Amino acid sequence: MGIRSLRVPEDIQALSHLGTASHAGTVFRVSATSKGFQLTEQSIPRPLIKNHEFVTEVTDPDRRWTDGFVAVEGTSIVGFAATGYQRWNRRQVLWHLYVDHLHRARGIGRRLIEHVMFAGRNNGARHLWLETQNTNVLAVRAYQAMGFELVGLDRTLYDGDYAHETALYFAKPL
């Protein structure tokens, strides 16, 4: 398995077949305390399944990220990461990270993150910053295992079908 830069438009078709669905049997309940917030993992009655659509953003000239990386196994794309540098606060932002559901728990996400961190160091970034949801327990665990620290949250970020979710922000020094 190797990591390389995203190639547009050549990789679009393969990216559209990437199995990005996440399944969760638990979520983090976010509670306000007198000194901040507390996350408590709790079981949910029905598994939460979310499909993540991102492919149309790849060709959008107004997208927020500038660099993409793909994990390739043989001739198949099995992972994708998108990142961009914010000069004003020297922050490398991870906008997307997806590993095909058939290839998870094999270190592919970690390898993609390493490439994003390398890009951040080359840009002069102080840290890598990302956002995920309280409903994505597996991602939270993975980020924490990679040394990311929970640095904030936003209970009002999402709207519509996702209004009940809380944005969790993580950072890791570079």
Side-chain angles (χ1 to χ4, degrees), residues 2-172:
I3 307 290
R4 65 166 170 78
S5 293
L6 174 69
R7 297 178 190 146
V8 178
E10 299 86 13
D11 291 336
I12 300 296
Q13 182 70 19
L15 287 174
S16 69
H17 296 294
L18 197 63
T20 61
S22 61
H23 302 80
T26 62
V27 298
F28 284 111
R29 184 172 53 90
V30 179
S31 307
T33 69
S34 62
K35 295 183 179 183
F37 292 92
Q38 179 175 343
L39 302 181
T40 308
E41 190 172 345
Q42 81 181 117
S43 296
I44 52 178
R46 289 185 318 244
L48 177 64
I49 301 171
K50 289 174 72 175
N51 286 305
H52 306 281
E53 301 295 328
F54 69 94
V55 176
T56 56
E57 187 179 315
V58 172
T59 57
D60 184 347
D62 295 325
R63 68 182 187 221
R64 297 176 286 183
W65 50 273
T66 54
D67 300 301
F69 300 100
V70 291
V72 181
E73 191 167 77
T75 59
S76 300
I77 291 179
V78 297
F80 170 72
T83 187
Y85 178 64
Q86 294 178 340
R87 179 172 284 119
W88 75 273
N89 60 358
R90 296 182 48 216
R91 173 184 282 176
Q92 190 74 27
V93 178
L94 178 68
W95 289 103
H96 295 287
L97 178 66
Y98 300 111
V99 175
D100 184 81
H101 69 288
L102 297 176
H103 296 87
R104 292 181 185 155
R106 294 179 35 211
I108 295 169
R110 181 180 295 273
R111 296 263 323 269
L112 285 163
I113 291 281
E114 288 169 356
H115 273 71
V116 169
M117 291 173 61
F118 182 77
R121 287 185 198 102
N122 282 342
N123 289 330
R126 295 178 300 120
H127 61 274
L128 177 58
W129 184 89
L130 64 90
E131 172 264 325
T132 192
Q133 304 79 32
N134 67 306
T135 57
N136 198 344
V137 172
L138 293 178
V140 169
R141 287 182 187 154
Y143 293 135
Q144 289 175 325
M146 286 186 263
F148 285 84
E149 176 186 0
L150 178 65
V151 295
L153 59 87
D154 185 344
R155 297 169 80 176
T156 65
L157 181 65
Y158 307 120
D159 200 4
D161 292 342
Y162 305 106
H164 65 284
E165 296 182 9
T166 299
L168 303 177
Y169 300 102
F170 289 86
K172 180 176 181 171

